[in-house]
Amino acid sequence: WTFPPLMACRYIVVRVGQCAEEMEGDCVSLLERRVVVEARGHFETEGEDWAQIGQVGARSLAACRREVYALSGGRPVYDWGKLYVLALNDFYTTGCSDTARAVLASGVAPVGGEQACFYALFAELVQRHTGDGGLAAELLSGVLNGLQAVEEATGALQAGAWQAMEALCRAAGNGKGAVDCERAFHRARKGLQAVWNEERGLFADVAGSEECSRWVNALALYFDLVESGQRVRVAQALSGGELERVDDLWQAFFVAGALWRAGESEWALAYIEKEWGRLLDRSGRTWGEKAGRLEVQPGPEGLLAAHMLGVCPKAEGILEIRPQLAGRERAEGMVPTLHGDVDVAWGAYGGGFSLRVTLPHDGETHLSVPRRDRRFPQ
């Protein structure tokens, strides 16, 4: 099925033909479509702003959730990178997959370019958070055809897409396809190292260029493609002022996620406070309104749940819990998952660490806790 297209109108023109009698309009009605989904997930830590950040994020999701995510007021826009961010926030805020699945049902797999890469990431994200192997098999050919024509996307994005495609193949039971995707991933990762600029400690946008953008380097860290000796240098450049500032919260989401993936949780949390916290005092109910943009803008709630609470559904039904402290003494919250609602609360006082996890998952759970610089942690 497909959804009725969303339209934005300033006025209405009604034309009536082949009518012998005079007609009179009785009324014009406006219909607002809204999909109400309960925001169950929440996150708390030290400071008063975090509860408000979560509230604005939930309102931002509710404002753009129709039959699919409406990125603007006009016709549907299939920007798969932005849809990926919204779906990730939706899973961690509501645990509901209906809207994300409707996006896949009504959209068409793009062929080539960055959009094909982000489509692969979106498809794998939905499959992983729903555990639907049949969905993986259904999407496989369309995603694969789109990725095989990719030429223009950056090496980091290509590598991330092939990694997602490998997971999608394994979920669909296609072992040969998974091996082919793994090889393509390693080729793309090797190609990324070819544009490493040792002098600047950054990845160049293209081979032979001196231009090193925040976007390319954020993607390299976000997909964990950076060698150990390069990781801190790239993270420092992303968190500092060496690179150009991002111009919207979409790119800010990937920069913050990149810092989390690099293990620099304090820098990541400070970056979120800078990019989203500065907007809290502005008027408006959603991030788009607060940023003064007509287009939807995302919140950071998916990043906070996935990294600071550390809850992440993995492939093959495995649930991973790996909290990162980010220099805080406590954090708690609830994350809705396909395994059920997971409650997490941790405290880090006096060099120690305590964690309480309540989860209904009776399958395989991987739990990792910080060592806190102790040689023999208990």
Side-chain angles (χ1 to χ4, degrees), residues 80 103-105 107-127 134-150 157-170 172 174 177 181 184:
W80 293 100
V103 171
L104 287 173
V108 178
V111 177
E114 287 194 353
Q115 289 301 305
C117 294
F118 277 119
Y119 182 84
L121 292 166
F122 184 94
E124 189 277 330
L125 175 73
V126 176
Q127 191 283 322
L135 177 65
E138 179 184 340
L139 295 171
L140 213 50
S141 61
V143 181
L144 187 58
N145 290 337
L147 279 185
Q148 286 175 339
V150 168
L157 185 54
Q158 288 186 46
W162 282 117
Q163 197 172 37
M165 189 63 193
E166 179 193 347
L168 208 59
C169 285
R170 296 195 186 282
N174 186 342
C181 292

Side-chain angles (χ1 to χ4, degrees), residues 195-333:
V195 298
W196 172 252
N197 187 321
E198 180 62 30
E199 183 179 353
R200 296 190 61 184
L202 293 167
F203 292 97
D205 289 4
V206 293
S209 171
E210 293 295 322
E211 185 175 349
C212 303
S213 67
R214 185 180 294 266
W215 177 239
V216 167
N217 284 273
L219 290 178
L221 271 185
Y222 187 85
F223 296 119
D224 196 21
L225 306 171
V226 181
E227 303 293 341
S228 58
Q230 303 166 342
R231 188 171 291 114
V232 174
R233 299 180 68 183
V234 177
Q236 285 177 334
L238 289 178
S239 62
E242 179 181 346
L243 298 172
E244 84 286 357
R245 190 177 180 278
V246 297
D247 59 357
D248 60 21
L249 296 180
W250 299 105
Q251 285 197 31
F253 184 95
F254 284 98
V255 173
L259 294 172
W260 283 114
R261 296 283 179 94
E264 302 295 347
S265 57
E266 293 188 44
W267 293 352
L269 202 62
Y271 187 83
I272 289 175
E273 288 181 293
K274 180 177 70 173
E275 294 296 329
W276 280 272
R278 65 184 174 84
L279 300 175
L280 288 177
D281 292 335
R282 297 187 185 182
S283 60
R285 299 184 70 255
T286 68
W287 291 120
E289 293 172 1
K290 288 181 177 294
R293 293 175 175 266
L294 296 176
E295 188 186 46
V296 172
Q297 294 288 301
E301 50 270 20
L303 297 174
L304 295 171
H307 297 288
M308 201 154 179
L309 295 180
V311 180
C312 184
K314 309 295 282 189
E316 301 175 353
I318 297 172
L319 183 65
E320 180 180 273
I321 303 176
R322 185 188 296 269
Q324 297 187 46
L325 306 186
R328 298 301 171 111
E329 290 188 333
R330 65 171 186 86
E332 61 181 281

Side-chain angles (χ1 to χ4, degrees), residues 309 321 323 331 343-347 353-357 367-370:
L309 295 180
I321 303 176
D343 289 293
V344 177
W346 58 256
F353 180 80
S354 62
L355 172 69
R356 184 184 73 249
V357 178
L367 178 63
S368 174
V369 296

Side-chain angles (χ1 to χ4, degrees), residues 33-39 61-62 65-66 94 96 98-99:
R33 295 180 298 187
R34 187 176 298 275
V35 178
V36 179
V37 182
E38 180 187 0
L61 268 176
R65 189 189 290 111
R66 300 294 186 267
T94 68
C96 180
D98 292 348
T99 308

Side-chain angles (χ1 to χ4, degrees), residues 185-197:
F185 162 73
H186 286 297
R187 286 195 299 269
R189 185 173 187 175
K190 185 178 180 180
L192 179 68
Q193 288 298 319
V195 298
W196 172 252
N197 187 321

